[in-house]
Structure formats: C-alpha cells, structure tokens
Amino acid sequence: MKNFAELYLRVSESNDVEYKRSIIRDYITQVRDDNKKWTIYLLLGLKLKVKLKGEELKEWVIQYTSYPDWLIEQCAEVTHDKIEAYSLMLANKEITDVSDSIPGCIDEILKTDFKNKEKIYSFLKSKWMVYDADTLIVFHKIMTGTHKPLIGLKEISSILSSIYFTSSDLLIFRLSNPDWIEHDFSKLIQPSKSDIENKFEPFQFIKPVVLDDDFQNIQLDEYWLEPYYTGDRIQLHKFDSTLYIWSAENSWVDLLTQDQYKALNQHVPDQSILEGIYLEEENAITWLDIHQWNGKVLHSIYPFDQRKKILMDWLEKIEKNSFQKVSHHIAIELNHLPENTKDWILKHRSAEDIWYRIRPKAKLIHTLILNAEFDPRSTQLVYTITLGVYKDEVNLASIAKINSSQLPASEKTSLYYWIQNNTTQKFGPVRVVRAQQIITISYEKTKINKRVKAGLNLVNVKFIEWHQSMLGKLKVSTLNEIS
Amino acid sequence: MMDPLIIHTPAGLYCPQADIYIDPIKTVTRALITHAHSDHAISGHRYYLATPLTNAIIKQRLGNYLQVQDIHWGTSITMNGVRISFHPAGHIAGSSQIRLEYKGNVWVVTGDYKTEKDQISGTYELIQCNTLITETTFALPIYQWKPQHIIVNEILSWYHENLGNDRTTVVLAYALGKAQRVIQNIPIEIPVYTHTTVEETNDALRKAGLKLRPTIKISSKTSKKEILQGIVIIPYSVLNTPWLHALHRPVTATVSGWMAIMGNRKKQTADRGFALSDHVDWNQVNKVIRDCGAESIGLMHGYTLALSRWLTNHGKHSFIIPHHLNQDQEVVTEED
C-alpha cells in the first residue's frame, strides 16, 4: 500500500510525462498481477463499489484526535483538501512495518461492513496507527471515492503494450469494458484476440472532408444533410448482452462513467451497433446511426426519416430513464434550408462513405499579446501566447491562446526576442509583456465559456500576421465586436 | 504588575530597559540577531551582537565593514541591569534563542527554532522562563514532521533511482541553512556538488569554524558524467535557468517544510518535494510551551491566531505579536 501510495502521489504531483511513464512502468513490472490490476484500476480513477462519506470520516477524526472542529476546518483551508488535512493530522510519523499491498487493502475495504459504524471506525483506526501521511491520503481517497484519474486509457495501454507487447488498441478495447477488473490480469494482457474479440471490429468512423465550396452553390437534393458536432466519435457494439465500446480517438473510457455504461447497456438492444458523438461542452451524447446486427455488421446508413424515428424512440427511452439529456436532435428535413449554414455536414447520395463539412468563413480580428508562457523543460523555442481584446475602454480580456509552433521559423524567433525585450513581470515560466504588440488571428466561431473572464472562447484559432509597432495604427478588436 | 521586558515596536522587538532590539526590521543602534536569514538580519545597524557563525554570515552577506560582536552560547552580558544570553535554537548553523533577565523576570525569544537534532545547527536548549516569545510558522496539526533520518533516506533512495535512470539528482535548498543540513546528512561516499551561491555560504561557515563535509563547487571544467554520480545542491533561483539545463538530464526536488502539503508540491516547478523543515511543528511547539514553564506566551510569524485560540482553550495566556511576515502565512519563504 505504501509503495502504491508513493506511486500515486508522485504521478499526481509531477508535470513530467516521461517521468510519470517511467515510474508507472517500473512499478508495474515489479509487482504481482493482482497488484497491477488494481494499480491500473485506481490510476484510471475508477471507484470501488463501496464508499465512506467525508462527513462520517470527519466525525471519527474529531473523536480520535480531540481537535476542535474549527481547528480541523482551518487545516483543511490550508491544504485545500479535507482528506489530506485529516490524513496529515492522523498519520504515523515513524517507520512502521506495514507490508499490506493494494489488493490486500482493497480486499479489506470490500469486506468491511459499511453499515456497522463501529466496525468501520475500528478498521480506520487500525490503519491510522500504522500508515504514514502519504499512504493515509491515498487510503482515505480510495475509501471515500475521491481519487481522480491520473492517467488516460490511451496512455496506460501504451505503457502496458511496451511491457507485454500486446496491441495498444486491443488493450484499450478490453479496458473500455468495466468488467475487466473481475478477470485475471493475464486475460487483460493476452496478446492474441479471443474468439469474441475477433468477431468485432469497428466499422469506419465518419470523418468529414472539408468542402471549400460555398454552401449556396451546392445542389441540396443531391446530398444528405445533418448538423455537424465536434466531439469524440464512438461506437457501441452489443453482442450476447455485452457492450463493447470503440472510440475514434481511443479516449472513450475517460468520458464514460460506470453509471453511464450501465445505462447504455440497459438501453442498447442486443445485436446492434450505435454510432454517436460525445458532445464535450454539453456532456451529452448525440446518436448518429443505429445499425441492427445479425451476425455481421451492416455497413449502411438509415434514410433520414427512418433514422429519425429510430432515434426519437431511443431518445425517449433514454430520457425517461434520466440517463442523458440530449439537447441536439439530429437530422433535419431535406430541402429545408437552415438559416445558419456554417455547422452542417453533407453526404453525397451517390458516394455514401464520404461526408463533407462546409468550411465556415473565417473571421479576422486584431488582438494584443498579454503574456507568453515558455516550456521550461523544452530545448525548442516553444511558447504559448495569450491574446487579448478590449473588454471596455481600458481593460483587456484574454480571448485565445496560440502556440508558437503555428508561426513560421523567422517570425517565431523575432517574436521570441520581442517578448524577451518587453517583459514587464515574470511568474515562473510566464512572462507578462507590454500590451502593445498587435497580432491578427482568424477564428471560425465563438463558444460560450463562463469559466473565462471574456465569457467565450474562439474556436479554431489561426495565426495570420503580427504587426511590429502598429499600435495606434491598427484598431484592436473589442469583446463586443466578437460576441 | 511588572512592565513588560520586551515590547513590540515598528522596528521589531525592543527591550526598553537595555535599549536593544531583537532581529529589528529597521536600522537601529544595537541589534541582537538570532540568526542570519535575511528576514532577521538586515544591514545598517550600528552594532550587531550574535554568535560567531551568525556574524560570519552577516559579514559575508551584508558587508565586511559591519561592527559585529561575538557572543557564545551560554555566556552572558549585562546591559543596564538586563542579563542577556544566547542559547542554541537548532534552526540553522549559529542560530540562537535570546534570554533576557531583569530582576528575576525571564523572557525568552526563540527566533526561528526546531527541537530535532540535525547534525549542524546545535542542539535546541529548553529554557525555563516567565514569558516565551515563540514563532508559529508551522503551528497547525497538519504539520507534524517525520524524523530527519526518514526524509534523508527518502532523498537517498530517490538519488539511487535517478542514478539508475541516468539522470542527475538536483536538490533545491535555501543557500543558508537547508543546504548545509542536506549536505551534512549525505553519506561521505556520495559526492556533493554545489552552485557558487551555496559554496560561498559553505566557505564562510567553514572559515568561522563549522565542520562541514567536503563539497565540490561546479565550474565550467566539471564534467557532466562526474556530476551525474553525485547530488547537486542549488538555490531556488537557479531553477529554470540555462545553468541547470546544462547538466545531464536533471531531475529536481525541493526540500522544505512547505512540501508537506500536496498542493504545494503540485504548484512548484520541481519534480519532487521532500518535507524537511528547520522550524518546530505542531507537537514540538506545544511541547516547548508546556515544558518551559512560561505563564504567558507571545506568538509571532505564522499561524498565530490558531495557536492563540488553541492555547486559550487550554487555559494558557497568550498574546500575538504583529510581524512583517504575518500577512504571508502561505507564502513559501526563502528560509523554508
């Protein structure tokens, strides 16, 4: 447990991807199979079936330490993490001979009767007496289900693949199914596909080709038309009551919670395939296609009216069960021209495998450089520039970030020296510069984001030109103009 | 009731009877200095009274022209009837607590201190007194230090791991205090390489009589392969500079009490953090307060409010001394 806690905290604290990979790799190669399994499970942020409430834990901490509530609260304010504050107060400071492993500890947690308060308290006390602070933090986080994912599915699969030579895609496929923890580790890393895995391959994901033609010049009766969503494209294959998940970017499991998985499994009929898009900003899934499957994959797409009906039935089922609120309904009537034409994709009736996306007309704005962040570990000249526009007559609001890799080599260097010479303040790798360098950028559309000061983000930002000493000659854009 | 022997003034702690200041933050005529960190020893005083090691650093950092007078631990001088003596504080090399006695009334100013032995700072001495003025930098129950030998072992095992991964081990430590503590506790078979700033402080301390293990100053002639085999000690200011990146695949760790908090370890730029502090933790400060016999406790620098409330709840009289760093409780100070 101590070794796992050390790994967990080191991965969580480091910013060095190479370092994280190497310590996870070293750990996995050194421990037993059941330990590997739980390590992967917890690093992916997956939770145990049982959970201790934070408030209950606090009550026991007060009982055990006799510290007043106000003192515990003050400690939590300092750590910004209640679990950490409790753990630091309770931890054993000396070396103790604790040889329990993560599977052993999880086994103990799962065997504890969570309805019997006395038993939980005595279980907790047995750990408080022997665990050091780091181990207790991780132990409490696992107990309360507050541990966060520290690594993506793609990354852990790539690490496992480098150790066991199992295909990374196959590992992703297996790890996407939450039932994998029930089986032996050897089954997870088995390099050859099982019979059932052999039967399944995702069919080709729709990848729209950008169409530069003007929307008005397109003969719409030759095309299918549907809204264009940006998000992770996924496919769900259900066979013999088991749901298999594929993702175009291999990142699906990071988005799917166990509850979502269960709901999907409940609502997707057997012998079927769904293709959908996970809309990140709305936390919803929009279904594109449903394919009935009778022994082999049907590589066809339903006509719109039929698809719409099937889809609406599905949505009704899903919404009834409060699984997901799908805010965008798919498919519009043919020959019904939408007013806003920039976010639609087209499919030619005679070439069904190709979808086209109409490129929105880019808008140009003039921005000022607010700050630049350098990557301290990189030997390349790589930096991220934050750009701003006027929020009112005096104040600037940051509106977009661009990476210096977008710039031509000569401009990259000139801008680098400009930043060096015009730095007014430094915060670690971030340099605040004089707000007088204008950069023209293009963007496709704006996206509302209440978490940023400007209240919106620009989508698909591209660097167009930087104008040396043009302040006063070019007018910097305002937030009103953009929104 | 007797007048207080020490009062707080805008220039710092002041003893009116002896007309002397303790660690003044403005220039004064006579200053008693607990230790040589820059928030305790500033330049410009007319006379300095401190231990020989502290004076050596004061001269090295603030100017050789300063008029300093040495006082050894346990010896005393008398000024206008006030008996003044210096006693080991265990914070850094030469650090002291200051004891003032006038007509049987004893006040002790701890300065920064710790009770754990560290092989370099002298052994903390518990002094019986009527009033204790203590620092409270880490006076919360979340701060409970692991013993030094455990942290040193953690650093060494990290070093061996780095060596196996062909990476240079770099420890970030304040040039005065933490650097020497880490250096002294590294086994002699592991070479220790230092940045100029650290080495200058080491030299000044060695000249003043401190027995510090040998270190090697990194110069343009030192080979990267050679450095890879040892541990490099640098001050924080060298992080993210070409100097550091010139080493062979450096991997960095901060050594400080603030590293006890996960959030601080994440926020910092170094790859790792080891919680090794030169200040008293929650248990140590409470033990000192209990054992020194003081009826009244003055609290300064850190979590003064929390400790004051805690002491009041336990029937102890306490008072808070405003300090120029009190606003920055969460700021990682250079000293720790």
Side-chain angles (χ1 to χ4, degrees):
Chain A
M1 185 65 191
K2 185 174 164 48
N3 292 343
F4 172 75
E6 195 184 331
L7 171 81
Y8 184 91
L9 293 179
R10 282 166 73 176
V11 171
S12 118
E13 285 158 18
S14 176
N15 302 316
D16 183 341
V17 179
E18 189 200 340
Y19 178 68
K20 285 186 195 186
R21 278 183 64 102
S22 81
I23 57 175
I24 294 174
R25 197 179 191 284
D26 289 351
Y27 184 88
I28 287 178
T29 49
Q30 283 165 17
V31 296
R32 288 166 44 168
D33 278 3
D34 51 350
N35 197 327
K36 289 173 192 172
K37 207 168 68 169
W38 283 109
T39 300
I40 295 164
Y41 190 83
L42 295 170
L43 289 180
L44 283 170
L46 300 170
K47 319 285 184 208
L48 300 184
K49 285 174 189 163
V50 289
K51 187 162 96 166
L52 177 67
K53 285 181 187 161
E55 277 305 309
E56 275 183 304
L57 179 59
K58 185 181 171 182
E59 279 170 28
W60 283 316
V61 171
I62 292 175
Q63 192 177 327
Y64 188 75
T65 59
S66 307
Y67 291 139
D69 191 37
W70 64 264
L71 188 57
I72 290 177
E73 283 300 318
Q74 170 139 19
C75 290
E77 268 177 41
V78 173
T79 56
H80 300 290
D81 181 341
K82 288 186 176 180
I83 297 289
E84 185 187 358
Y86 305 155
S87 309
L88 290 170
M89 280 185 261
L90 295 162
N92 188 308
K93 312 297 173 304
E94 297 289 339
I95 294 178
T96 49
D97 185 20
V98 190
S99 54
D100 67 340
S101 62
I102 185 73
C105 182
I106 286 174
D107 200 36
E108 278 185 85
I109 295 173
L110 295 176
K111 277 181 187 163
T112 304
D113 180 4
F114 271 64
K115 286 175 189 158
N116 186 333
K117 293 202 170 193
E118 278 309 308
K119 279 195 177 164
I120 308 180
Y121 185 42
S122 104
F123 173 60
L124 288 171
K125 276 197 293 187
S126 70
K127 299 297 176 194
W128 293 346
M129 281 188 274
V130 292
Y131 282 166
D132 65 6
D134 288 354
T135 315
L136 263 192
I137 291 171
V138 177
F139 168 73
H140 284 148
K141 281 185 184 284
I142 294 171
M143 282 283 282
T144 51
T146 50
H147 60 287
K148 290 182 181 157
L150 296 182
I151 190 161
L153 184 64
K154 203 172 173 179
E155 198 66 36
I156 195 79
S157 302
S158 146
I159 294 170
L160 290 174
S161 177
S162 71
I163 304 171
Y164 301 106
F165 307 107
T166 310
S167 142
S168 184
D169 285 346
L170 188 59
L171 285 164
I172 291 169
F173 179 73
R174 287 173 183 165
L175 287 167
S176 300
N177 186 337
D179 291 343
W180 67 268
I181 193 69
E182 311 290 340
H183 306 294
D184 285 347
F185 183 73
S186 57
K187 195 175 170 192
L188 178 71
I189 53 156
Q190 172 65 36
S192 57
K193 286 184 180 178
S194 66
D195 289 347
I196 202 160
E197 283 166 348
N198 258 327
K199 283 185 183 175
F200 284 90
E201 288 294 341
F203 61 85
Q204 198 180 359
F205 282 94
I206 297 168
K207 285 188 182 166
V209 176
V210 175
L211 191 69
D212 285 325
D213 273 358
D214 192 301
F215 190 79
Q216 300 301 330
N217 299 333
I218 291 168
Q219 295 296 316
L220 272 175
D221 54 354
E222 291 178 13
Y223 289 89
W224 303 119
L225 179 68
E226 72 170 42
Y228 176 69
Y229 297 105
T230 47
D232 285 273
R233 286 180 171 258
I234 55 152
Q235 281 175 31
L236 312 176
H237 297 215
K238 191 163 177 185
F239 175 74
D240 283 353
S241 306
T242 307
L243 197 62
Y244 297 90
I245 302 166
W246 298 90
S247 152
E249 302 297 329
N250 290 338
S251 57
W252 174 234
V253 105
D254 294 340
L255 310 168
L256 194 67
T257 64
Q258 285 195 27
D259 288 343
Q260 285 174 328
Y261 179 89
K262 275 182 200 161
L264 280 171
N265 206 2
Q266 191 185 340
H267 295 300
V268 175
D270 214 4
Q271 312 288 96
S272 69
I273 295 171
L274 259 79
E275 181 162 330
I277 300 179
Y278 185 92
L279 304 170
E280 207 170 306
E281 67 265 35
E282 289 160 39
N283 195 26
I285 302 167
T286 289
W287 305 116
L288 298 180
D289 287 297
I290 302 167
H291 303 259
Q292 290 298 324
W293 186 76
N294 298 311
K296 68 172 193 177
V297 173
L298 294 175
H299 201 298
S300 64
I301 293 170
Y302 282 85
F304 273 101
D305 52 349
Q306 198 179 338
R307 184 156 55 135
K308 186 178 175 185
K309 187 180 175 312
I310 296 168
L311 188 81
M312 294 314 286
D313 290 347
W314 277 84
L315 292 177
E316 203 181 324
K317 274 186 194 171
I318 287 168
E319 282 175 358
K320 260 187 195 166
N321 289 281
S322 322
F323 159 59
Q324 289 278 3
K325 186 168 166 37
V326 179
S327 54
H328 287 256
H329 288 182
I330 201 169
I332 55 160
E333 297 302 322
L334 268 181
N335 301 321
H336 180 74
L337 257 183
E339 280 181 19
N340 180 356
T341 56
K342 67 174 183 287
D343 286 315
W344 303 87
I345 54 171
L346 300 160
K347 184 174 192 182
H348 202 280
R349 285 166 185 262
S350 59
E352 287 195 348
D353 288 345
I354 305 169
W355 287 84
Y356 298 97
R357 179 181 169 218
I358 301 160
R359 188 195 291 281
K361 214 172 191 176
K363 295 171 183 173
L364 293 185
I365 52 166
H366 301 306
T367 61
L368 283 171
I369 303 181
L370 300 182
N371 62 57
E373 183 173 352
F374 291 83
D375 182 353
R377 289 186 176 83
S378 172
T379 50
Q380 306 295 316
L381 202 59
V382 180
Y383 46 95
T384 307
I385 305 164
T386 304
L387 302 168
V389 292
Y390 279 109
K391 197 163 64 174
D392 48 44
E393 286 184 1
V394 186
N395 297 312
L396 288 154
S398 64
I399 194 81
K401 284 188 177 188
I402 57 168
N403 194 283
S404 64
S405 54
Q406 277 197 29
L407 312 178
S410 60
E411 298 205 1
K412 207 190 293 184
T413 315
S414 318
L415 198 53
Y416 171 80
Y417 284 116
W418 185 88
I419 292 164
Q420 295 280 338
N421 295 333
N422 288 278
T423 301
T424 54
Q425 274 177 302
K426 278 195 214 173
F427 298 106
V430 181
R431 284 164 176 264
V432 179
V433 296
R434 288 186 186 86
Q436 50 185 229
Q437 180 56 59
I438 295 184
I439 288 198
T440 304
I441 56 167
S442 73
Y443 67 96
E444 285 188 5
K445 63 175 181 178
T446 57
K447 201 165 73 176
I448 291 170
N449 183 353
K450 289 178 183 166
R451 283 178 297 179
V452 297
K453 276 186 188 169
L456 54 89
N457 287 131
L458 304 183
V459 176
N460 212 353
V461 177
K462 290 210 169 92
F463 171 86
I464 302 295
E465 194 178 358
W466 76 294
H467 313 270
Q468 275 178 294
S469 310
M470 290 294 275
L471 196 66
K473 294 173 191 167
L474 277 175
K475 193 172 168 287
V476 177
S477 307
T478 65
L479 206 52
N480 279 343
E481 287 169 23
I482 298 167
S483 56
Chain B
M1 192 177 163
M2 290 174 79
D3 285 339
L5 193 51
I6 295 173
I7 58 170
H8 175 258
T9 71
L13 296 175
Y14 177 61
C15 174
Q17 181 62 32
D19 189 23
I20 45 113
Y21 287 85
I22 299 170
D23 290 348
I25 54 168
K26 291 181 178 172
T27 52
V28 299
T29 308
R30 281 188 291 272
L32 309 182
I33 306 294
T34 58
H35 64 286
H37 277 148
S38 55
D39 56 337
H40 292 258
I42 63 164
S43 66
H45 306 314
R46 183 77 180 88
Y47 301 107
Y48 293 77
L49 182 66
T51 57
L53 285 174
T54 301
N55 280 335
I57 297 297
I58 287 174
K59 283 193 158 191
Q60 183 240 340
R61 293 186 152 199
L62 306 178
N64 216 17
Y65 60 89
L66 293 173
Q67 295 208 34
V68 299
Q69 185 184 329
D70 288 347
I71 181 166
H72 290 275
W73 287 327
T75 58
S76 63
I77 58 166
T78 306
M79 293 175 81
N80 199 23
V82 180
R83 193 167 164 228
I84 301 165
S85 56
F86 282 52
H87 304 265
H91 175 56
I92 61 168
S95 65
S96 309
Q97 308 173 75
I98 298 173
R99 180 184 183 276
L100 282 81
E101 183 181 354
Y102 181 65
K103 293 184 178 170
N105 184 18
V106 179
W107 285 53
V108 170
V109 178
T110 63
D112 291 344
Y113 70 113
K114 70 170 179 293
T115 56
E116 189 188 16
K117 286 182 190 176
D118 68 358
Q119 328 298 334
I120 193 121
S121 312
T123 306
Y124 168 82
E125 181 186 328
L126 181 73
I127 308 164
Q128 296 298 313
C129 55
N130 302 98
T131 304
L132 176 80
I133 296 179
T134 174
E135 59 129 338
T136 60
T137 312
F138 290 106
L140 280 181
I142 44 171
Y143 297 112
Q144 298 182 33
W145 311 135
K146 284 184 192 171
Q148 174 178 279
H149 66 94
I150 294 182
I151 303 291
V152 170
N153 283 341
E154 284 177 8
I155 295 174
L156 293 177
S157 96
W158 172 68
Y159 155 76
H160 288 296
E161 184 190 307
N162 296 336
L163 201 58
N165 291 332
D166 188 35
R167 299 192 75 165
T168 307
T169 303
V170 181
V171 171
L172 300 162
Y174 186 55
L176 169 62
K178 195 59 58 60
Q180 289 75 36
R181 185 176 175 189
V182 174
I183 289 168
Q184 194 71 345
N185 283 283
I186 294 173
I188 199 73
E189 59 274 16
I190 301 173
V192 174
Y193 294 89
T194 54
H195 182 265
T196 314
T197 316
V198 175
E199 199 54 32
E200 280 171 0
T201 309
N202 289 351
D203 284 346
L205 287 168
R206 282 188 185 111
K207 277 179 197 160
L210 184 76
K211 285 179 182 164
L212 190 65
R213 62 153 281 175
T215 50
I216 307 157
K217 184 177 133 186
I218 295 179
S219 70
S220 53
K221 287 174 189 164
T222 325
S223 82
K224 287 183 188 179
K225 271 189 183 175
E226 197 184 313
I227 298 171
L228 180 67
Q229 301 303 317
I231 295 178
V232 182
I233 313 283
I234 61 168
Y236 295 102
S237 55
V238 182
L239 192 65
N240 294 333
T241 62
W243 190 96
L244 180 62
H245 291 287
L247 300 176
H248 176 70
R249 301 180 71 222
V251 55
T252 52
T254 302
V255 180
S256 161
W258 298 108
M259 292 299 113
I261 306 291
M262 224 163 67
N264 292 339
R265 297 201 293 265
K266 276 185 197 172
K267 265 189 277 179
Q268 59 150 358
T269 322
D271 301 302
R272 273 198 81 171
F274 295 101
L276 186 72
S277 176
D278 291 330
H279 296 260
V280 273
D281 68 5
W282 171 256
N283 290 332
Q284 290 165 357
V285 74
N286 274 291
K287 188 172 186 319
V288 168
I289 290 170
R290 227 175 19 242
D291 295 350
C292 72
E295 302 102 44
S296 185
I297 311 293
L299 306 169
M300 61 190 299
H301 192 180
Y303 296 102
T304 48
L305 278 170
L307 187 58
S308 171
R309 193 172 167 186
W310 170 259
L311 291 174
T312 308
N313 289 355
H314 286 76
K316 225 23 176 182
H317 175 258
S318 65
F319 57 97
I320 294 171
I321 296 165
H323 191 275
H324 63 294
L325 282 178
N326 261 6
Q327 307 305 316
D328 303 329
Q329 288 179 340
E330 290 196 28
V331 172
V332 178
T333 60
E334 282 183 316
E335 289 70 23
D336 210 328

